Amino acid sequence: MIAYIERFVHEDVESVPDPESAEQEGDVLPLFNGVNLNGTVEFAGCGSAAGSDFGGVQFSKPLAVIRPSNSEDVAKVIRLASRSPHLTVAARGNGHSVNGQAMAHRGLALDMKAIESKIEVDPATAQADVSGGALWEDVLKRCVLDYGLAPRSWTDYLGLTVGGTLSNAGVSGQTFIYGPQSENVTELEVVTGNGDVLVCSRNQNSELFFSVLGGLGQFGIITRARVLLQPSPDMVKWIRVVYTEFSEFTRDAEFLVTLEEGDSFDYVEGFVFVNSDDPVNGWPSVPMDSNQFFDPTHIPRTAGPVLYCLEVALHYNNVEPPSAVDTRVERFMGRLRYVEELRFEVEVGYMEFLLRVKRAEEEAKANGIWDAPHPWLNLFVSKTDIANFDRLVFKNILKHGVGGPMLVYPLLRSKWDNRKSVALPEGEIFYLVALLRFCLPYPKGLSVQEMVVQNQQIVQICTKNGFDFKLYLPHYTSNESWKHHFGNQWTRFQDRKASFDPMAILAPGQKIFPRNW
Ligand code: FAD
């Protein structure tokens, strides 16, 4: 079928043509002549959803948004771009990046969700073949409801695409057991920057496999992933406990994540909150349902401006007697040093647990804070520097909170295969720090500029104090910064680019390699 080409006309103020993009749109139109796509093309000179993202800080204008039907369409678009000296191609998953990483300024945006979502489960091998543009929440529902199986490793929020999280890592409270999501796939179908459609795994086209996982979209577009599954439990016991001392919080969190495999909780995370009655950032952010109350009289007067919450979860099945579940829970809880009176717990269905952020999304949408800008900052900070990070950042710069969760929990480097492209701090234990800013639109909340400046200040503190840290979901604009980010992996990263996307067509929004570098 000949591509359906539709000229997108905006009726708002942005309909004034941009002379630069109009010129290039003229250049690109003939390139589509004779290209038989099964999907559709929308020439979006004045912008579209592909021109913004969840961050709401960066905006750009793709020349066209392509809705591919299959991998062959993706390959055709890449080959088409290679015939022009300047065109780039960005796979856009669900656009939940915060710094324009999925954008293609005056390039071609591929809407990966348009590819028919395929989720094929093979119960015999406990694996699922899923399309790169499938949302993790759809993968969850299909696997659990139809097969009683589920992926092993998750992100906290599941409105993200499989290709989008695999291109970064995909971390959550299960990562200490199974590694990130990128460690839980056994095979990929990838369209490289050379326009080749290749299947890869640890044993087949292995260099491509390792490159693409955590590869920030630089080497290929993931059109299918084979995801490892395990039996899904019926229920989850979900517990939060409070600490006043960071050293005790980290001691207990590290104790839980370093227990023998299979002999700990099924999920371990943590967060920092403000030692005040602030409804968003303070004590009320800890209780898990409306019947629970955070009684601040249990906080010693000597406590600092912030407190810490360890969050754990244990899976169980309905056939297991409640006393047996309690025994399993108390075996671990009994060894922790939290403030005893500040323990909160609920029992929820497994899917409800994994879809917990969806409920927060619904509330945030109703309050107007979901669509406001989100200058988020995500870091991996080595265990050796996390106490200083707490002192200089949480207890100081962020002592009033960020208007949303400030996650901090330990991960284990040995669960990450270093042949993959992700850059990590040295040392076995490092912490994910996620500053998930949810602010009311300015002037009710902080201005975007103030939030961005605060993020820069935090990164500068880490740098100036020589912390061993890496940005997660990194965002840099200079080649020098990227070199520094990858450190001794930079040469390998460059070599991989030269092999799989030598013209630097892919993922221009990451700003790592200019076209024809
Ligand atoms: P996009 O933003 O669309 O794309 C991200 C990058 O990947 C771009 O460079 C893009 O070109 C590339 N890309 C997209 N699809 C493909 C593909 N098929 N093949 C190759 N490259 C591709 N992350 C975690 O690890 N853990 C969390 O718990 C977590 N929670 C989050 C909660 C929220 C509310 C949000 C907004 C983000 C969260 N993230 C989390 C971050 C998230 O994993 C990344 O931003 C991810 O990239 C978003 O996926 P996406 O599908 O929206 O990707």
Side-chain angles (χ1 to χ4, degrees), residues 28-294:
V28 78
L29 235 142
L31 287 174
F32 279 87
N33 286 340
V35 177
N36 292 340
L37 298 177
N38 281 307
T40 64
V41 184
E42 184 181 282
F43 286 93
C46 294
S48 70
S52 60
D53 63 17
F54 184 81
V57 177
Q58 310 252 354
F59 300 90
S60 83
K61 294 179 180 179
L63 286 177
V65 177
I66 295 111
R67 301 199 170 79
S69 281
N70 48 37
S71 343
E72 207 33 60
D73 274 359
V74 173
K76 282 177 187 165
V77 171
I78 293 175
R79 284 187 225 125
L80 172 157
S82 73
R83 296 204 296 271
S84 129
H86 48 71
L87 269 183
T88 53
V89 176
R92 178 183 160 90
N94 208 19
H96 276 49
S97 292
V98 296
N99 280 299
Q101 288 95 331
M103 294 180 193
H105 187 62
R106 284 191 262 123
L108 308 176
L110 281 168
D111 176 0
M112 296 303 291
K113 287 195 298 175
I115 298 187
E116 196 196 340
S117 175
K118 191 181 74 167
I119 303 165
E120 284 171 3
V121 178
D122 179 4
T125 58
Q127 300 186 104
D129 274 347
V130 300
S131 38
L135 292 178
W136 282 108
E137 63 186 39
D138 294 332
V139 177
L140 170 75
K141 288 175 192 160
R142 175 113 169 107
C143 293
V144 173
L145 297 178
D146 294 350
Y147 296 92
L149 295 168
R152 313 186 312 175
S153 187
W154 292 100
T155 45
D156 293 343
Y157 171 68
L158 308 189
L160 310 168
T161 65
V162 169
T165 69
L166 292 179
S167 300
N168 285 295
V171 299
S172 184
Q174 306 82 10
T175 307
F176 78 96
I177 311 172
Y178 303 109
Q181 291 181 311
S182 51
E183 294 295 333
N184 288 276
V185 291
T186 56
E187 184 182 286
L188 301 172
E189 181 190 77
V190 172
V191 186
T192 68
N194 296 313
D196 300 322
V197 184
L198 297 173
V199 171
C200 59
S201 66
R202 280 192 164 72
N203 306 317
Q204 182 185 3
N205 294 316
S206 58
E207 187 60 18
L208 179 62
F209 182 73
F210 295 128
S211 303
V212 164
L213 292 167
L216 306 175
Q218 294 304 301
F219 311 110
I221 294 181
I222 300 167
T223 44
R224 176 179 63 79
R226 184 163 292 172
V227 181
L228 285 172
L229 307 176
Q230 65 184 6
S232 58
D234 297 326
M235 297 293 294
V236 172
K237 204 182 236 309
W238 180 14
I239 304 170
R240 288 180 180 168
V241 289
V242 171
Y243 293 78
T244 56
E245 298 304 320
F246 190 64
S247 56
E248 290 181 355
F249 163 79
T250 51
R251 188 204 73 107
D252 283 358
E254 289 175 22
F255 160 72
L256 291 174
V257 302
T258 52
L259 283 169
E260 193 101 325
E261 199 169 318
D263 189 30
S264 185
F265 285 109
D266 294 294
Y267 164 103
V268 175
E269 285 201 5
F271 60 90
V272 181
F273 62 101
V274 177
N275 188 9
S276 81
D277 62 358
D278 178 313
V280 174
N281 300 289
W283 308 323
S285 62
V286 179
M288 306 170 84
D289 78 28
S290 52
N291 300 327
Q292 299 173 350
F293 169 67
F294 187 107

